[in-house]
Every structure is written in structure tokens, then in C-alpha cells.
């Protein structure tokens, strides 16, 4: 059984935070970077987009954490804790945060992610980058371990953002997936 199928079985084909049943996809919980049953959760598009873009957060949507924070799945607890922490200015969120219980190891994982919470991915001009953006490379970049050079002006479409490092983004260049530094790109 694939990892995604195992996760869908675990969550009963529902978002592990809000229980929505549509547009589910795996969400890797930082600082991890690979989809595994122990380091990822299944989220709906609404939860996923609001976690990745906190400025678009609908506070009332997150009242679902009242239920999901009691999940026995560690990565669900971690994401619930981090979201409640982001919403702690709301009285109800602070009350839930005060009630929440996690094993020490899980709490350490959750708090580690809070340290990077204020970090944003920005291009060479300080414009915020988001998952799925298209960027242009502004400098010839030699690729370590190969003779390949990513040329100035190369467009990288549908980028991904490193969850644990605001200086890195991922993308495909000449059919090869690679990590590049945000300081060497300009958002289109």
C-alpha cells in the first residue's frame, strides 16, 4: 500500500484538521521534507493554503482545531498546536492551547516549527514568494556536483518552498529537480 493510500485510510478520506472530504493532498510537517506516514498529514486545499499563506487565514475556519487537536496522530497534533499558536490572540484559540496535551517529543517538534514561523521566502527584490510562482534566475548558477550551469534568464515555473529554510526554493530546470537560493531569482 502506498504512503498516500495509508494516510487516506488513517484519516478516513477526510482532512485531518477540518474533516473536509474534497481536494485532499499530503502536507509534510516541517522540519521534515518527505511525505511519510509519520511526518505528513492529509489536508484539504483550504487548510493547506491557509497554513502556507497565513495572511489569507480565515480565523473562523480554524475552530475545527477544537476537535482535531485531540488526534492521536503526532503530525496532526503538531500542526494544530502551531495553528493555535498563530491564533493565540483569539481568546478561544488561547483557551484550546492551554488545554492541549502532547507527549514531550511531539511538543518539541511543534515548538521547533514555531522558531521558523516568522521567516518568509522572498526574491532578490524582497517580493514574497509563494508555492506555484514562476521566477526568473538573475545570475548564472553552477550546479554542484555537475557541469550544468543554470543560465541567467532561465524561468522556473511552479516552484516549491522549503518549509525549514526561507532561503531555498525547489523547481525543475532542464527537466532536473533542484533546490535554488531565493536571492538569485526574481518573481514574475
Amino acid at each position: 500500500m502506498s504512503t498516500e493510500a495509508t494516510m487516506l485510510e488513517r484519516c478516513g478520506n477526510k482532512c485531518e484538521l477540518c474533516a473536509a472530504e474534497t481536494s485532499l493532498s499530503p502536507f509534510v510537517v516541517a522540519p521534515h521534507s518527505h511525505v511519510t506516514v509519520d511526518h505528513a498529514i492529509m489536508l484539504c486545499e483550504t487548510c493547506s493554503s491557509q497554513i502556507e499563506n497565513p495572511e489569507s487565514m480565515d480565523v473562523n475556519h480554524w475552530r475545527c482545531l477544537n476537535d482535531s487537536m485531540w488526534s492521536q496522530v503526532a503530525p496532526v497534533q503538531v500542526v494544530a498546536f502551531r495553528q493555535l499558536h498563530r491564533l493565540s490572540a483569539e481568546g478561544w484559540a488561547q483557551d484550546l492551547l492551554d488545554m492541549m496535551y502532547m507527549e514531550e517529543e511531539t511538543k518539541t517538534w511543534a515548538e521547533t516549527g514555531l522558531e521558523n514561523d516568522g521567516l518568509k521566502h522572498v526574491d532578490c527584490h524582497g517580493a514574497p514568494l509563494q508555492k506555484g510562482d514562476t521566477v526568473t534566475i538573475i545570475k548564472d548558477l553552477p550546479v554542484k556536483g555537475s557541469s550544468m550551469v543554470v543560465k541567467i534568464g532561465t524561468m522556473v515555473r511552479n516552484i516549491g518552498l522549503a518549509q525549514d529554510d526561507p532561503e531555498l526554493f525547489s523547481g525543475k530546470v532542464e527537466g532536473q529537480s533542484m533546490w535554488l537560493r531565493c536571492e538569485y531569482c526574481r518573481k514574475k
Side-chain angles (χ1 to χ4, degrees):
M1 188 181 288
S2 73
T3 302
E4 192 168 329
T6 303
M7 292 172 62
L8 283 168
E9 185 178 307
R10 173 182 78 193
C11 69
N13 292 317
K14 294 181 181 180
C15 174
E16 292 189 84
L17 294 179
C18 74
E21 297 180 5
T22 58
S23 303
L24 298 179
S25 60
F27 178 84
V28 180
V29 182
H32 303 286
S33 56
H34 300 293
V35 175
T36 67
V37 174
D38 296 328
H39 300 134
I41 61 177
M42 294 304 285
L43 292 184
C44 66
E45 191 175 323
T46 302
C47 288
S48 182
S49 67
Q50 289 187 33
I51 288 171
E52 291 174 352
N53 303 304
E55 61 277 354
S56 70
M57 192 179 301
D58 173 13
V59 174
N60 287 323
H61 173 78
W62 294 103
R63 291 187 181 268
C64 62
L65 296 175
N66 187 40
D67 296 325
S68 56
M69 70 183 236
W70 301 111
S71 172
Q72 296 300 305
V73 179
V76 174
Q77 293 175 353
V78 169
V79 174
F81 178 86
R82 290 177 183 171
Q83 287 303 100
L84 287 170
H85 194 272
R86 285 184 182 143
L87 295 165
S88 61
E90 302 288 325
W92 62 267
Q94 185 60 52
D95 290 344
L96 293 177
L97 199 55
D98 292 342
M99 286 190 292
M100 193 167 183
Y101 173 79
M102 293 183 285
E103 296 292 330
E104 195 61 38
E105 182 178 313
T106 305
K107 188 165 186 174
T108 301
W109 177 13
E111 290 171 341
T112 300
L114 292 177
E115 295 167 7
N116 297 331
D117 202 27
L119 304 176
K120 301 285 183 208
H121 292 78
V122 294
D123 72 0
C124 63
H125 298 297
L129 297 173
Q130 295 181 355
K131 181 179 176 182
D133 281 348
T134 298
V135 298
T136 304
I137 304 301
I138 63 164
K139 174 183 175 180
D140 285 351
L141 301 172
V143 177
K144 288 183 182 177
S146 81
S147 60
M148 182 180 173
V149 175
V150 178
K151 298 286 187 184
I152 186 171
T154 300
M155 290 186 56
V156 182
R157 291 177 172 80
N158 197 22
I159 66 170
L161 304 176
Q163 292 185 355
D164 55 346
D165 189 344
E167 297 179 6
L168 297 177
F169 71 94
S170 64
K172 282 192 175 187
V173 177
E174 295 180 21
Q176 292 186 352
S177 295
M178 61 182 68
W179 289 97
L180 299 164
R181 298 188 65 80
C182 295
E183 64 188 293
Y184 301 124
C185 76
R186 180 180 66 241
K187 185 175 180 176
K188 283 303 259 182

